[in-house]
Amino acid sequence: MPRQCTSVPRVAWQPRAGGISPQAAAEKAVGVQVAVSAAFAHWDAYELDYRLKQGEEDPLRTVILPELRAAHVEGTVYAVGGDSKEHSAGRDDPLLGALLYSDAVVTQIERSRGEAVVVRTLDDLRAAQRSGAIWFVLGLEGCSPLRGELATLRAFHRLGLRYLGLTWNGRNEAADGVGLPSPGGLTDFGRELVAELNRLGILIDVSHLSARGLAEVVELSATPVFASHSNARALLDHRRNLTDEQLRLVASSGGIVGVNFHPTFLAEGDATVGDLADQVEHIASVVGIERVALGPDFTYDPWRQSLRGTRSYKGVSMDITRRYPVHRPGELGLLRAELERRGLSSERIAQVFSGNLVALLTRVLPGGASSTQSQMGEVRP
């Protein structure tokens, strides 16, 4: 049955009095190391795909994993397909592109000599935490690869898919995105899809989804949903950002909001680390610090430069050459230092950096407290 949306008790935003000085905060950021672990609610596999196409043999093991480990990143939600050509390994066919992308990523993880793992169940996540392996939760940023078939979703589930963004700005078989001039909500297939995602233990991502679609998903879903990489519209009026009411809807499901590091969604001009911290503070003030996570949406400089300048992605324009205020995982210490300067405790920073996302995965992954897979009913055709 769909879950009834209710208000969620939250921990109020209560920074320590005084904080620390800007100079002390800057000194803490030297070496851009973070003492707490981090986990990402959203990251596309663009860099890995680009490096493989440049002929690098094992870029995950030799380049990406060492950078993540040095930055104390324990894992990430990782998009390996979706609605766009960029999400489809450069292919015009989203289904083929997602299959090729998924195969490339899983192959790289298998070649990592145990340093990385694909998380399919709660047991996998806990095993990775015990061993120190960096975990990857794989999924799609848009439903086009499914071609309107629940059977395709189940096939991707068997390949390891554990999160799904319903759309990516535009329209597909499941829903309308925020990039349309007058977007609708979920289609009949989209409503069936929500039920099947719940049944399979696949996390539902509402970033890029229209306002009507987001509300419908929250109403229909029996498990928590999340906005993996979305900011607050109260701070920057961009259609990709969420209103305070939408933030509350996501929180009412038991879900979280991953703060997006992309400058387009932070500021009109040059975005700063302060803009990022403002987003953390505002979202926490609306829904509680326990509902805030990191959804950096990192890209990769050579890949971005190959695309050049401002592009319109299914109705959403953004300059992909603008520099992120926290540009790479190794710069996470800059955000931590700014949050400390504003008086946020180490415990609260740890929640935002990794704890809240891990708690959500613990609930939704197969075997978790909110997962319905242990009571799987009849398979929908």
Side-chain angles (χ1 to χ4, degrees):
M1 292 179 60
R3 177 190 32 73
Q4 295 296 315
C5 296
T6 58
S7 62
V8 176
R10 63 183 181 86
V11 177
W13 172 259
Q14 294 179 329
R16 295 192 307 267
I20 62 175
S21 70
Q23 180 178 355
E27 289 172 355
K28 280 178 171 285
V30 171
V32 289
Q33 296 264 328
V34 285
V36 296
S37 66
F40 300 152
H42 183 80
W43 193 13
D44 293 288
Y46 298 146
E47 177 178 354
L48 182 61
D49 180 59
Y50 184 90
R51 287 181 178 278
L52 287 169
K53 287 177 177 175
Q54 298 305 304
E56 296 183 37
E57 186 174 354
D58 288 320
L60 184 71
R61 181 176 61 82
T62 61
V63 180
I64 296 173
L65 291 180
E67 180 180 13
L68 293 178
R69 198 169 297 284
H72 303 279
V73 176
E74 64 173 278
T76 185
V77 176
Y78 210 44
V80 293
D83 283 351
S84 75
K85 190 171 182 177
E86 286 80 12
H87 289 110
S88 305
R91 303 279 181 153
D92 292 319
D93 180 346
L95 174 55
L96 176 60
L99 290 171
L100 293 173
Y101 226 150
S102 300
D103 176 71
V105 170
V106 173
T107 297
Q108 283 289 298
I109 290 173
E110 289 173 345
R111 293 168 65 114
S112 73
R113 303 174 185 174
E115 294 182 30
V117 296
V118 176
V119 166
R120 296 176 173 87
T121 67
L122 179 56
D123 285 345
D124 291 339
L125 178 63
R126 287 173 171 164
Q129 291 174 317
R130 287 193 300 269
S131 70
I134 295 174
W135 48 264
F136 288 78
V137 175
L138 306 183
L140 304 176
E141 194 170 5
C143 290
S144 292
L146 304 184
R147 294 188 177 176
E149 298 287 344
L150 295 180
T152 315
L153 172 69
R154 291 191 288 271
F156 273 108
H157 177 265
R158 294 180 181 109
L159 293 174
L161 180 141
R162 291 299 181 271
Y163 100 91
L164 183 69
L166 294 189
T167 184
W168 191 72
N169 297 331
R171 174 174 292 149
N172 58 30
E173 294 89 345
D176 282 0
V178 298
L180 297 172
S182 300
L186 301 182
T187 64
D188 288 343
F189 172 69
R191 286 183 277 274
E192 292 178 352
L193 184 61
V194 169
E196 189 70 346
L197 291 166
N198 285 170
R199 191 186 74 84
L200 293 170
I202 296 175
L203 186 59
I204 302 174
D205 184 2
V206 296
S207 287
H208 293 282
L209 191 58
S210 68
R212 179 177 160 189
L214 187 153
E216 290 177 336
V217 169
V218 171
E219 180 181 1
L220 291 170
S221 181
T223 63
V225 306
F226 77 146
S228 68
H229 56 306
S230 293
N231 290 341
R233 194 177 297 183
L235 299 186
L236 181 68
D237 188 10
H238 191 289
R239 67 173 68 185
R240 263 285 282 116
N241 291 343
L242 301 180
T243 66
D244 287 357
E245 179 56 32
Q246 289 174 312
L247 295 173
R248 293 186 187 100
L249 278 175
V250 173
S252 76
S253 78
I256 60 173
V257 178
V259 173
N260 194 330
F261 292 15
H262 199 294
T264 298
F265 312 122
L266 289 169
E268 294 287 354
D270 292 337
T272 68
V273 176
D275 293 321
L276 267 179
D278 288 345
Q279 288 288 340
V280 172
E281 284 189 325
H282 180 81
I283 296 171
S285 73
V286 174
V287 295
I289 195 68
E290 73 279 9
R291 302 296 175 196
V292 188
L294 303 182
D297 200 14
F298 287 128
T299 54
Y300 177 55
D301 281 350
W303 176 83
R304 290 192 304 142
Q305 291 160 5
S306 73
L307 299 178
R308 299 184 184 280
T310 301
R311 294 165 65 91
S312 179
Y313 291 99
K314 297 184 183 288
V316 175
S317 295
M318 58 189 198
D319 184 351
I320 58 174
T321 63
R322 291 172 63 190
R323 196 179 194 280
Y324 286 48
V326 171
H327 192 59
R328 297 289 299 177
E331 294 182 357
L332 286 169
L334 298 172
L335 177 58
R336 184 190 180 199
E338 177 61 17
L339 292 173
E340 286 184 332
R341 186 185 72 79
R342 296 182 183 207
L344 195 61
S345 70
S346 296
E347 293 76 16
R348 295 301 190 214
I349 291 173
Q351 279 185 278
V352 172
F353 269 50
S354 64
N356 295 334
L357 174 59
V358 171
L360 178 66
L361 293 173
T362 299
R363 292 183 62 188
V364 177
L365 284 171
S370 296
S371 172
T372 60
Q373 195 183 34
S374 57
Q375 294 90 28
M376 287 177 67
E378 182 179 350
V379 174
R380 290 172 175 260

